[in-house]
Amino acid sequence: MRTHLLAIALALAAPLAAHAQSADLVLCDRVAADPSDPDKPADVKGVAEIAPSDVATAIKFCKQAAGSSRRAMFALGRAYAANRQTAEAIAAWRKAADKGSSAAMVELGVLYGTGAGVAKDEAQARKLFEKAAQAGNPRGVSNLAALGSAGGAAPADPAQARALLGKAAETNAEAQYQLGLMLSEGDGGAKDDVAARALFEKAAAQNHPGALERMGAFAEGGRGGPKDKDAAKAYYERAAALGDDDAKKALERIRCPYAIKDKQGKLVTTLCF
């Protein structure tokens, strides 16, 4: 009889434990998920920076969820970094990277590239960025391009960056935005405003702040497609609501289009409508 009751108790406890683990991950995501982490589910917004008031909560719940989630292990590293526990952050990111977290690879690469908390090692940074880029992480691609060739003796290869971004851009908004920038500026190949605008539009549809701002600029200037001031303003407003400073400046410029200057060319005032 006791054995039967024990079996029932264990059967009931299993889903409860799973639910508790899931709750830990939900809370970890809520306060510490990185918006640019490819592991992040689409319904998780993420935070650009962990709020000081949330650091202790992030460490607690991300640590509890980290045993079965590389995303939580990466977020735990973010929480430690926000708490200025550099050694703990590095240890968490290494564990997450070992489990395949491309976001953790990028963070470690940044540390090695800058010598923050570890001995500066550009070769190691390059390896980490390459591995992250191969996994489709857009930050890995852009950081790899910024590093240049081995040892930093030659400039970066924008053409290679374009190729890597092209693969990541199939599904990732940040990659779409970064590739759009390269196409709009002619980096790594021919300039193509039409293709750039299409990429910005895809990323903007996913509420990428930078892409929304670029769509506003392209619509305002008629780059790569029709000129539409109303659409431009709408894009700027969406980007500004997400905190994009360039979009905020563009909205102010639209609101106050006329500048009054003195004889020396110094701004006296603006006329706003």
Side-chain angles (χ1 to χ4, degrees):
M1 181 65 176
R2 286 180 180 177
T3 302
H4 181 64
L5 290 174
L6 178 60
I8 293 174
L10 289 173
L12 291 171
L16 288 174
H19 178 74
Q21 178 63 36
S22 176
D24 291 335
L25 184 55
V26 168
L27 288 167
C28 173
D29 279 338
R30 185 175 299 167
V31 296
D34 188 333
S36 67
D37 184 0
D39 285 341
K40 180 184 67 62
D43 61 343
V44 174
K45 184 178 180 181
V47 292
E49 293 183 4
I50 300 174
S53 59
D54 288 335
V55 168
T57 300
I59 291 175
K60 176 182 177 180
F61 290 104
C62 292
K63 184 185 291 186
Q64 290 173 185
S68 59
S69 169
R70 73 184 187 189
R71 183 171 84 252
M73 183 65 76
F74 166 64
L76 177 61
R78 294 188 79 212
Y80 279 136
N83 206 38
R84 298 185 179 180
Q85 294 176 255
T86 304
E88 289 83 353
I90 292 171
W93 284 333
R94 280 180 173 154
K95 289 178 182 178
D98 288 342
K99 293 180 180 181
S101 169
S102 63
M105 295 171 198
V106 171
E107 294 300 337
L108 288 172
V110 170
L111 295 182
Y112 278 110
T114 58
V118 294
K120 189 172 182 179
D121 187 340
E122 287 193 2
Q124 181 63 16
R126 169 169 290 279
K127 288 180 182 178
L128 287 161
F129 291 149
E130 284 178 344
K131 193 171 181 181
Q134 289 166 1
N137 188 300
R139 285 186 64 211
V141 175
S142 57
N143 287 351
L144 178 61
L147 255 190
S149 63
D157 184 354
Q160 181 190 26
R162 266 203 192 195
L164 290 168
L165 279 171
K167 295 177 182 178
E170 293 175 5
T171 57
N172 187 279
E174 178 65 20
Q176 289 159 6
Y177 169 66
Q178 293 290 345
L179 182 56
L181 290 177
M182 295 195 78
L183 289 167
S184 69
E185 296 166 7
D187 289 343
K191 185 175 180 179
D192 189 337
D193 280 351
V194 174
R197 183 165 176 158
L199 285 163
F200 290 143
E201 191 169 16
K202 284 183 180 179
Q206 299 168 70
N207 285 324
H208 186 289
L212 285 164
E213 185 277 330
R214 285 293 81 202
M215 274 304 299
F218 271 50
E220 184 180 10
R223 287 184 64 180
K227 190 173 184 178
D228 188 332
K229 289 187 177 181
D230 290 337
K233 185 179 179 183
Y235 279 121
Y236 286 143
E237 287 174 342
R238 287 172 61 193
L242 293 170
D244 189 276
D245 289 334
D246 289 335
K248 293 176 183 178
K249 292 175 183 176
L251 283 173
E252 184 64 18
R253 174 174 47 76
I254 291 173
R255 191 177 73 85
C256 305
Y258 299 107
I260 306 299
K261 298 181 180 180
D262 62 17
K263 292 180 179 180
Q264 285 73 40
K266 295 180 180 179
L267 181 66
V268 176
T269 187
T270 55
L271 297 179
C272 303
F273 301 98

